[in-house]
Amino acid sequence: MSHSMQQPQPPHGGPQQTPQWGGPQQDPQWGGGPSHRADPPANNSRPKTALVLGIIALIVGLIPFVFWIGGILGLIALIVGLSGRSKYGRAANPVGAILGGAGMVFAVVGAVITLQIMSDAVDELDRSVNDASSSVESDSGSLDTDGKKGKGKKGKGKGKGKGGDKGKGGGASGLAAGDTAAYDDDLKVTVSAAKAYTPSEYASGHTPGNKAYQVTVAIENAGQENFDSTLVLADARAGADGVTAEQIFDDKVGAGFDGTILPGKKSTVTYAFDAPADAKELTVEVTPGFSHDAAIWELTL
């Protein structure tokens, strides 16, 4: 009598599995295979970098003159923080990006502070320069009220005062030939009468058909300090229309003042000017320096 071996049948409705020899048997699970869960990133460096840059941006952004560094660092921190957030999701800390944005705001505040500091410094510098200029002008650059020889009325009496036009003596007609303009620092300037002058063959500044005239300018330093005559300027206008009288330069005239005039000493220079042939008057203006008012002489030709 033969016996056939029969394998046990699985429960009705269940899947049939063939046992595998040598391996572990796993019970079947309904609804699919084993579940998977994403692990947090092992190296989360971007949020950390953004955090460090954001902190530095907050500190540097409020420092005047270097605020722009904080703004750049804040922008980098914001970009790095947002990129880390997009890559790692909620596992990335958003504090770095937030600090980066705050650092940019602080940089704007630092820029405002810097501009205010610079504005205050410029205003203070302007006040200092104005005070210094006013002090120099009041102490040495104004003409003394007793600085002119008496010649009558209309500015030809006792001196050119501070209240008149710049360099015009006490009145509108200016100084006459031989008059002296005296300054508060005891500097005295005198202009002689105009005389005809013959330019040399190679003179510059003379126009054929015009007439040349020479005047002598004398500067006396009656004060207690040295006077630098290098900055002395002499200009002229000719005729009723006041056309510019060009200064003539040749081997005799045109060199101008040069060097230092010591206290108690005097320096004299001859200038020559080119005037129209029909000019009847020559107006000469002499400015001793930047800190002195100009004085004007009206000379008859």
Side-chain angles (χ1 to χ4, degrees):
M1 180 176 181
S2 62
H3 299 278
S4 61
M5 298 182 59
Q6 297 183 356
Q7 295 181 355
Q9 297 295 326
H12 179 70
Q16 297 183 1
Q17 291 185 356
T18 304
Q20 299 179 359
W21 304 96
Q25 297 184 4
Q26 298 180 352
D27 294 332
Q29 297 181 357
W30 300 95
S35 62
H36 295 279
R37 180 174 57 87
D39 294 331
N43 185 12
N44 200 356
S45 60
R46 293 187 185 182
K48 296 179 181 178
T49 303
L51 178 61
V52 174
L53 293 176
I55 294 175
I56 298 176
L58 289 176
I59 298 175
V60 179
L62 290 178
I63 301 178
F65 302 104
V66 295
F67 61 89
W68 55 273
I69 299 178
I72 295 175
L73 294 179
L75 178 60
I76 296 174
L78 181 62
I79 295 174
V80 173
L82 292 178
S83 65
R85 186 74 172 173
S86 63
K87 180 177 180 180
Y88 300 124
R90 296 183 178 179
N93 194 334
V95 176
I98 297 174
L99 292 180
M104 296 176 63
V105 175
F106 278 33
V108 174
V109 176
V112 174
I113 296 174
T114 301
L115 292 177
Q116 185 63 40
I117 292 175
M118 294 179 64
S119 177
D120 294 342
V122 171
D123 293 341
E124 184 65 25
L125 181 61
D126 289 341
R127 284 194 295 269
S128 300
V129 172
N130 292 334
D131 292 343
S133 300
S134 300
S135 177
V136 170
E137 183 175 356
S138 62
D139 291 342
S140 63
S142 299
L143 289 171
D144 196 341
T145 55
D146 295 330
K148 179 187 167 189
K149 296 179 181 178
K151 289 287 182 179
K153 298 181 180 180
K154 288 188 179 180
K156 297 184 180 181
K158 281 191 175 182
K160 171 186 179 300
K162 299 179 183 178
D165 291 340
K166 199 173 184 182
K168 288 189 177 180
S173 61
L175 304 175
D179 286 345
T180 299
Y183 293 83
D184 290 342
D185 58 351
D186 294 329
L187 189 72
K188 299 179 180 180
V189 181
T190 305
V191 175
S192 68
K195 298 180 181 180
Y197 178 76
T198 302
S200 65
E201 181 180 359
Y202 302 102
S204 63
H206 176 61
T207 301
N210 287 353
K211 292 183 179 180
Y213 298 92
Q214 70 176 31
V215 295
T216 300
V217 179
I219 297 179
E220 179 182 359
N221 184 8
Q224 302 298 321
E225 298 180 359
N226 296 340
F227 173 73
D228 184 8
S229 64
T230 306
L231 299 179
V232 175
L233 298 177
D235 300 301
R237 297 181 298 277
D241 296 334
V243 298
T244 300
E246 296 292 338
Q247 184 177 347
I248 298 174
F249 297 89
D250 60 12
D251 56 343
K252 297 179 182 178
V253 296
F257 286 92
D258 188 20
T260 301
I261 303 177
L262 298 175
K265 300 297 181 180
K266 185 187 226 181
S267 180
T268 303
V269 171
T270 299
Y271 292 89
F273 298 98
D274 189 62
D278 59 349
K280 302 299 182 182
E281 58 186 25
L282 184 69
T283 302
V284 178
E285 180 176 345
V286 179
T287 306
F290 293 135
S291 61
H292 293 76
D293 293 336
I296 296 178
W297 286 259
E298 294 184 355
L299 310 178
T300 302
L301 300 179

